Amino acid sequence: DQQVKQNSPSLSVQEGRISILNCDYTNSMFDYFLWYKKYPAEGPTFLISISSIKDKNEDGRFTVFLNKSAKHLSLHIVPSQPGDSAVYFCAASRGSGYALNFGKGTSLLVTP
Amino acid sequence: DAGVTQSPTHLIKTRGQQVTLRCSPISGHKSVSWYQQVLGQGPQFIFQYYEKEERGRGNFPDRFSARQFPNYSSELNVNALLLGDSALYLCASSWAVTGELFFGEGSRLTVL
């Protein structure tokens, strides 16, 4: 069963606007959450993470928000750039260093 | 510095055959994890090794096995291949058990 869900397979955003990618999880034992970015023919690249003791983590243009009560997290990219076009995977684990449970990914297209 | 390297990058096997995939972690990294990514899905955890010991195993049949060598490189073996084993096999390394995972580009296995 899918414990991490990304319900939007694709998203298209104009350059300069905000991209919001969403992720839901079902396992209340998850306490560490990550976003990975994947270009074709490359392995996933770590983008940003957040632990359950926080509700927000920011790194440059990327911000992850965590709503534990709703079991929901989101990735905000501001401003979006064409180079951000990739597949974004949400992942969760029971602590850092444990097996990652990935969602199916959201394909982001940023148009000029 | 070299990233995580995997070999072979592509291979084709027939049902019932056996395959060995290889992974060299980033220099200094002691933990290696294997993930399977089927088309249209997110990566799914297979194994994690740390200091040559199996630290975790995902929900995969016993046909899947792995090991880690003294130089921290790793092999993933799959016996009695099935059509459903066709996937991208990703190796990831980290400095310790915890910490950011760095992924290789993967080995794409096609089973005919």
Side-chain angles (χ1 to χ4, degrees):
Chain A
D1 62 332
Q2 195 81 18
Q3 299 184 73
V4 176
K5 299 177 184 178
Q6 294 177 257
N7 292 320
S8 298
S10 62
L11 176 67
S12 182
V13 172
Q14 276 191 319
E15 181 178 7
R17 307 293 284 265
I18 183 171
S19 295
I20 300 176
L21 293 91
N22 294 303
C23 177
D24 298 295
Y25 61 96
T26 58
N27 190 335
S28 58
M29 299 296 291
F30 289 151
D31 59 4
Y32 187 60
F33 306 89
L34 311 90
W35 285 92
Y36 279 82
K37 175 180 178 180
K38 186 179 187 302
Y39 292 116
E42 294 185 10
T45 303
F46 170 77
L47 202 54
I48 193 168
S49 65
I50 187 168
S51 73
S52 59
I53 62 173
K54 294 185 174 182
D55 54 17
K56 176 183 175 181
N57 189 25
E58 194 171 352
D59 184 2
R61 296 186 297 113
F62 303 91
T63 303
V64 56
F65 295 91
L66 175 63
N67 182 334
K68 290 184 290 293
S69 60
K71 294 191 178 68
H72 177 83
L73 63 156
S74 60
L75 175 69
H76 292 209
I77 306 173
V78 183
S80 301
Q81 300 173 355
D84 296 328
S85 297
V87 177
Y88 289 78
F89 290 100
C90 171
S93 68
R94 295 186 295 169
S96 172
Y98 287 86
L100 295 179
N101 294 268
F102 283 87
K104 292 184 179 182
T106 297
S107 179
L108 173 65
L109 176 65
V110 180
T111 57
Chain B
D1 285 343
V4 177
T5 56
Q6 294 186 241
S7 63
T9 53
H10 295 83
L11 68 166
I12 300 173
K13 294 284 188 178
T14 56
R15 281 177 294 175
Q17 285 189 312
Q18 175 264 344
V19 67
T20 298
L21 308 177
R22 296 175 176 82
C23 173
S24 293
I26 292 172
S27 178
H29 284 194
K30 299 181 179 180
S31 179
V32 169
S33 299
W34 288 93
Y35 286 79
Q36 180 197 62
Q37 186 180 11
V38 174
L39 194 63
Q41 304 290 321
Q44 188 174 358
F45 173 71
I46 311 175
F47 287 108
Q48 183 187 30
Y49 277 79
Y50 177 68
E51 289 281 14
K52 302 178 290 293
E53 298 287 330
E54 181 182 304
R55 191 175 179 275
R57 182 185 182 118
N59 187 24
F60 279 81
D62 291 344
R63 300 185 295 107
F64 288 75
S65 63
R67 54 181 174 168
Q68 186 178 32
F69 299 100
N71 66 353
Y72 302 109
S73 68
S74 177
E75 285 182 354
L76 174 70
N77 294 285
V78 186
N79 293 322
L81 285 167
L82 303 174
L83 295 179
D85 295 331
S86 296
L88 180 68
Y89 289 85
L90 294 162
C91 175
S93 74
S94 58
W95 179 75
V97 171
T98 59
E100 177 187 338
L101 287 183
F102 292 82
F103 283 87
E105 294 182 0
S107 293
R108 182 161 298 281
L109 170 65
T110 302
V111 182
L112 301 177

